[in-house]
């Protein structure tokens, strides 16, 4: 694990260039990275996701512009594209609301490889977000801070969640990105705690906050955004502040419930990114409360929902306790030798410092170079 994370860390000084793309329903945003940093201003082209010929032309034009602007040819193209998809084969297809022209299946990766003569890597944005945070974001930062504070543990498991139009997840286990057997590691579709016939994402997305506020305030004006509702909650905009705070509280409870299930199965740290993180002060208390909640046995005993103590890693005092744990000296039976024993099981959650967009691009960059290096070793 440590050697893998150190290897990924070397890519922050790598001179190779990788062309990237942020594929949204409205715009395609192209860029290029070297050493995990952007090397030029982004190129933005309308997506035209409902017209296959126009969309494919836009993708080619965008990457062509990037290749022309780079001082040397990129060694790969690597980017996130909405699913469903067979990402390993570079084939996108299925129910894609923002790219309906791809519904019947498009071999996007092979097409771009033929056009540009370099390897092409396509992944889910949640996966790349988690990988970027694991390789050059929150995970190395937390491991560094733990070491600086005198802690002995190091962490290699990370769940990355994006809060926005959807409820995305990525999973890094032991320093490796877990793509699953079908590129289908997801929690958006697990049952919601509020209604187990409804998927979790219906309560953990931009639409959920707007819907809940309008449910609580039926005469609320049209066109409100989560940012507006956050400002109402803060008292900076006219509206029902209590209802606004309740909307975010319900969001936090639903997110925490879904996260608790994933956390129990992966024993990871959690990083959260996406546009809604600007309102973390309104949803994080309830999210943490849910992660720290209890379940019960049939005989009435309390059991922690998550078996680890959950820390807010954005809180310096909690970070200190997380770093040091409960280390103590333990004498080895039958000898005078002592070992250090820390019985505290612990995990933590924090807001992304990189921001989702940059973390996804770093994830795309690092993933491409790791795959190229793995291939060269195999050869």
């Amino acid at each position: 694990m440590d050697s893998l994370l150190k290897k990924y860390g070397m890519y922050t000084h790598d001179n190779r260039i990788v062309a990237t793309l942020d594929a949204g329903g409205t715009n395609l945003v192209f860029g290029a990275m070297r050493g995990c940093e952007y090397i030029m201003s982004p190129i933005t082209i309308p997506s035209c996701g409902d017209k296959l010929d126009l969309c494919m032309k836009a993708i080619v034009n965008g990457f062509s512009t990037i290749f022309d602007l780079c001082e040397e040819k990129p060694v790969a193209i690597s980017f996130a594209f909405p699913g469903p998809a067979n990402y390993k084969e570079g084939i996108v297809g299925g129910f894609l609301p923002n790219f309906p022209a791809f519904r019947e299946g498009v071999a996007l990766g092979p097409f771009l490889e033929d056009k540009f003569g370099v390897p092409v890597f396509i992944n889910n944005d949640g996966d790349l977000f988690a990988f970027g945070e694991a390789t050059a974001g929150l995970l190395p930062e937390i491991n560094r801070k733990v070491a600086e504070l005198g802690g002995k543990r190091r962490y290699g498991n990370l769940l990355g969640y994006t809060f926005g139009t959807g409820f995305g997840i990525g999973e890094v286990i032991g320093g490796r990105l877990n793509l699953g057997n079908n590129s289908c590691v997801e929690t958006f579709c697990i049952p919601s705690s509020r209604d187990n016939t409804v998927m979790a994402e219906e309560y953990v997305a931009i639409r959920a906050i707007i819907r809940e506020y309008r449910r609580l305030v039926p005469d609320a004006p049209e066109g409100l955004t989560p940012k507006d509702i956050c400002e109402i909650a803060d008292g900076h905009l006219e509206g029902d502040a209590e209802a606004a705070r309740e909307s975010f509280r319900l969001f936090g409870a639903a997110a925490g419930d879904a996260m608790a299930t994933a956390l129990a199965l992966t024993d990871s740290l959690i990083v959260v990114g996406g546009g809604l993180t600007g309102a973390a002060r309104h949803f994080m208390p309830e999210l943490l409360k849910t992660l720290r909640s209890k379940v019960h046995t049939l005989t009435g005993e309390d059991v922690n929902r998550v078996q680890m103590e959950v820390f807010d890693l954005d809180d310096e005092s909690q970070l200190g306790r997380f770093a040091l744990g409960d280390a103590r000296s333990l004498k080895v039976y039958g000898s005078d030798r002592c070992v250090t024993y820390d019985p505290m099981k612990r995990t933590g959650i924090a807001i992304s410092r990189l921001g989702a967009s940059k973390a996804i691009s770093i994830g795309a960059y690092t993933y491409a170079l790791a795959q190229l290096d793995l291939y060269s070793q195999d050869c």
Side-chain angles (χ1 to χ4, degrees):
M1 176 186 74
D2 286 343
S3 61
L4 269 178
L5 293 175
K6 287 177 182 177
K7 174 187 173 183
Y8 297 145
M10 293 173 62
Y11 293 138
T12 59
H13 306 288
D14 201 292
N15 286 322
R16 287 173 289 182
I17 297 172
V18 174
T20 64
L21 164 63
D22 181 2
T26 303
N27 291 312
L28 303 170
V29 184
F30 299 86
M33 297 199 96
R34 170 189 277 150
C36 292
E37 294 291 342
Y38 297 117
I39 60 173
M40 64 179 66
S41 298
I43 307 297
T44 302
I45 298 176
S47 300
C48 302
D50 58 341
K51 298 177 177 64
L52 183 59
D53 290 343
L54 289 179
C55 188
M56 296 296 275
K57 183 178 179 180
I59 292 173
V60 170
N61 288 343
F63 279 125
S64 294
T65 302
I66 294 297
F67 273 63
D68 289 343
L69 290 173
C70 289
E71 61 188 42
E72 59 186 66
K73 184 178 179 179
V75 297
I77 291 172
S78 185
F79 60 95
F81 202 89
N86 182 340
Y87 289 112
K88 292 178 182 178
E89 302 298 329
I91 299 172
V92 180
F95 180 67
L96 292 91
N98 291 330
F99 291 88
F102 288 69
R103 185 166 297 184
E104 298 304 317
V106 177
L108 184 57
F111 169 79
L112 292 173
E113 287 178 350
D114 290 346
K115 283 287 184 182
F116 294 96
V118 297
V120 175
F121 304 98
I122 307 175
N123 282 288
N124 175 274
D125 58 352
D127 292 333
L128 292 182
F129 170 70
F131 199 53
E133 290 287 352
T135 57
L138 185 79
L139 195 58
E141 176 187 329
I142 293 299
N143 280 328
R144 175 179 56 78
K145 286 185 175 180
V146 167
E148 290 172 352
L149 291 168
K152 301 302 181 184
R153 287 191 184 177
R154 299 297 178 266
Y155 298 87
N157 289 5
L158 183 71
L159 293 175
Y161 280 96
T162 52
F163 290 170
T165 55
F167 182 37
I169 184 178
E171 185 179 291
V172 175
I173 302 297
R176 297 183 184 275
L177 179 61
N178 178 23
L179 296 174
N181 292 328
N182 299 284
S183 302
C184 200
V185 176
E186 297 287 1
T187 53
F188 79 92
C189 51
I190 67 174
S192 168
S193 58
R194 291 185 62 185
D195 181 344
N196 64 13
T197 67
V198 177
M199 68 180 188
E201 185 176 275
E202 287 298 325
Y203 297 101
V204 193
I206 286 172
R207 62 185 180 274
I209 294 167
I210 297 170
R211 184 184 64 243
E212 292 302 325
Y213 183 76
R214 294 194 62 81
R215 178 180 65 82
L216 295 167
V217 187
D219 60 348
E222 296 289 340
L224 285 175
T225 67
K227 183 176 184 296
D228 295 329
I229 298 170
C230 182
E231 291 187 359
I232 292 170
D234 290 333
H236 301 321
L237 194 66
E238 185 177 350
D240 188 328
E242 185 177 344
R245 288 190 288 269
E246 177 67 3
S247 300
F248 282 108
R249 188 194 70 79
L250 291 170
F251 174 96
D257 178 72
M259 288 177 167
T261 298
L263 197 56
L265 294 173
T266 62
D267 189 3
S268 305
L269 302 184
I270 297 178
V271 60
V272 180
L276 292 174
T277 55
R281 61 192 175 279
H282 294 303
F283 65 71
M284 191 59 80
E286 193 67 22
L287 193 158
L288 285 164
K289 180 181 176 181
T290 304
L291 290 177
R292 294 164 177 163
S293 64
K294 306 283 188 181
V295 292
H296 312 286
T297 67
L298 291 176
T299 55
E301 296 172 290
D302 288 342
V303 178
N304 289 333
R305 169 80 186 273
V306 174
Q307 290 298 292
M308 298 79 75
E309 187 170 346
V310 181
F311 290 87
D312 179 355
L313 299 179
D314 290 323
D315 182 319
E316 288 298 321
S317 63
Q318 290 193 41
L319 176 61
R321 289 176 52 223
F322 170 84
L324 296 178
D326 188 25
R328 62 189 72 170
S329 180
L330 181 67
K331 190 174 181 180
V332 177
Y333 179 79
S335 78
D336 293 329
R337 187 165 69 92
C338 290
V339 295
T340 300
Y341 170 54
D342 185 349
M344 181 189 285
K345 299 175 183 179
R346 53 196 184 272
T347 185
I349 182 170
I351 301 299
S352 170
R353 280 69 153 151
L354 293 172
S357 181
K358 186 170 184 181
I360 289 168
S361 292
I362 290 175
Y365 177 81
T366 305
Y367 182 83
L369 295 188
Q371 294 301 305
L372 291 176
D373 289 348
L374 182 63
Y375 177 78
S376 66
Q377 291 171 12
D378 289 343
C379 292

